[in-house]
Amino acid sequence: MICKTAIITGASSGIGKACAQRFASEGWNIVLIARREEKLEELASEIKATFGVKVDCMVLDVRNSNSGNELAQFIESLNIEPDLLLNNAGLAVGLSPFQTGVVDDWERMIDTNIKGLLYVSRAIAPVFIKQGFGHIINIGSIAGKEAYPNGNVYVATKYAVDGLTKSMRMDLLPHGIRVSQVAPGAVETEFSIVRFKGDEERAKGVYNGFVPLTGKDIADAVFYVANTPKHVNINDLIIMPTAQASAVQVKRDI
Ligand code: NDP
Ligand code: 8X3
C-alpha cells in the first residue's frame, strides 16, 4: 500500500479533526497543526491507536508571518513528501454591523483566514513543486459565495479564500499541482462558540430546529476531492445542509 501524507491546519477541532480521522481511517499519515497542544496530542494518540498510521503534531499559530517557514522546516525534519495541504484553520469572531464592528475581531479573522492560509501555502507550494506532486484544498464557505447581514469581514475573508483558490490554481498549473476549494454551509463545530466568544447558549441557537452538517460530512467531501484520479480536479465543491438553501435561508422546524 502506498502511504500518503496530509498536512491539516486547524486539526484540533471540528472539520479539521474530522478530516484527520477520516484520512487516517483510509491509511493516510497525518501532520496535525493548531495552537492547542493538548487537543492535538489527544487526537494523535487516538488516531495512532485506532488506525496505526504515523501522526506528527505541530503547535503553530498560522497568523505569525514566519509560520509557513516553521512548517516547511518541520516537514523537512520529518523527511516526508506530503501529498496534501488542507488549509482549514479559520474562524469568525463577532456578528455585528461593520459600522459597530470590533477592529481587533477583524484583525483576527483577516490574519487567520487570509494571511495564515497564504503563509502556509507560500511555504508548502515550493515543497510540492520540488517533489513534483501535491494538492492544496482550501476550506472556503458559503460566506465566500454570498454575503449575509452582519457577516461583513468574515464574508470578505471567505471571498478572499475563493479568489485565492482560483488564482493559486492558475499559478500552480505549470507544475501540475492541484488546487481545490470545499465551501460548506452550516456545520456544527466549535465555530459558533468561537464566533460568540464562548457564549454556548447563543452558539447552540444557530442550529435550532434544523439538522446542520457535521465535521464528518465535510471530511467525506474533502476525502473525495483529495482522491479523484490524478487527471481530475474538483475546483470547487459547495456542500450545504438539506435544510439550508442559501447563506440566509434556513428551514427551521420550530
Ligand atoms: P472550529 O472552531 O471547530 O475549528 C477551527 C480550527 O482552526 C481549530 O482547530 C483551531 O485550533 C484552528 N485555528 C484557529 N485559529 C488558528 C490559528 N491562528 N492558528 C492555527 N490554527 C487555528 O471550527 P470549524 O471546524 O467549523 O472551522 C474550520 C474551517 O471551516 C474554518 O476555516 C471555517 O471558517 C470553515 N467553515 C466553517 C463552517 C461552519 O459552519 N462551522 C462553514 C463553512 C466554513 P486552535 O484553536 O487549537 O488553534
Ligand atoms: C460558516 C458558515 O454561514 O456562518 O462559514 O458564515 S456561515
Side-chain angles (χ1 to χ4, degrees), residues 92 95 140-144 146 148 151 154-155 158 184-187 191-192 195 206-207 240 244 246-248:
L95 185 69
S141 171
I142 189 63
E146 305 164 30
Y148 58 84
Y154 179 69
V155 163
K158 289 300 181 179
V187 190
F191 178 85
S192 292
R195 169 168 255 176
V206 173
Y207 312 103
M240 304 288 281
Q244 183 180 14
S246 75
V248 292

Side-chain angles (χ1 to χ4, degrees), residues 9-17 33-37 39-40 60-64 87-92 108 111-113 139-143 154 157-158 182-192 194 207 215 218:
T9 71
S12 61
S13 160
I15 293 170
K17 180 177 177 179
I33 296 167
R35 293 166 302 175
R36 287 173 293 176
E37 184 169 15
K39 296 257 178 202
L40 290 184
L60 192 72
D61 187 331
V62 298
R63 290 174 297 178
N64 296 336
N87 278 316
N88 163 75
L91 77 182
R108 282 178 64 193
D111 289 352
T112 310
N113 302 358
I139 299 296
S141 171
I142 189 63
Y154 179 69
T157 65
K158 289 300 181 179
V182 173
V187 190
E188 191 165 8
T189 59
E190 292 180 10
F191 178 85
S192 292
V194 172
Y207 312 103
I218 307 307

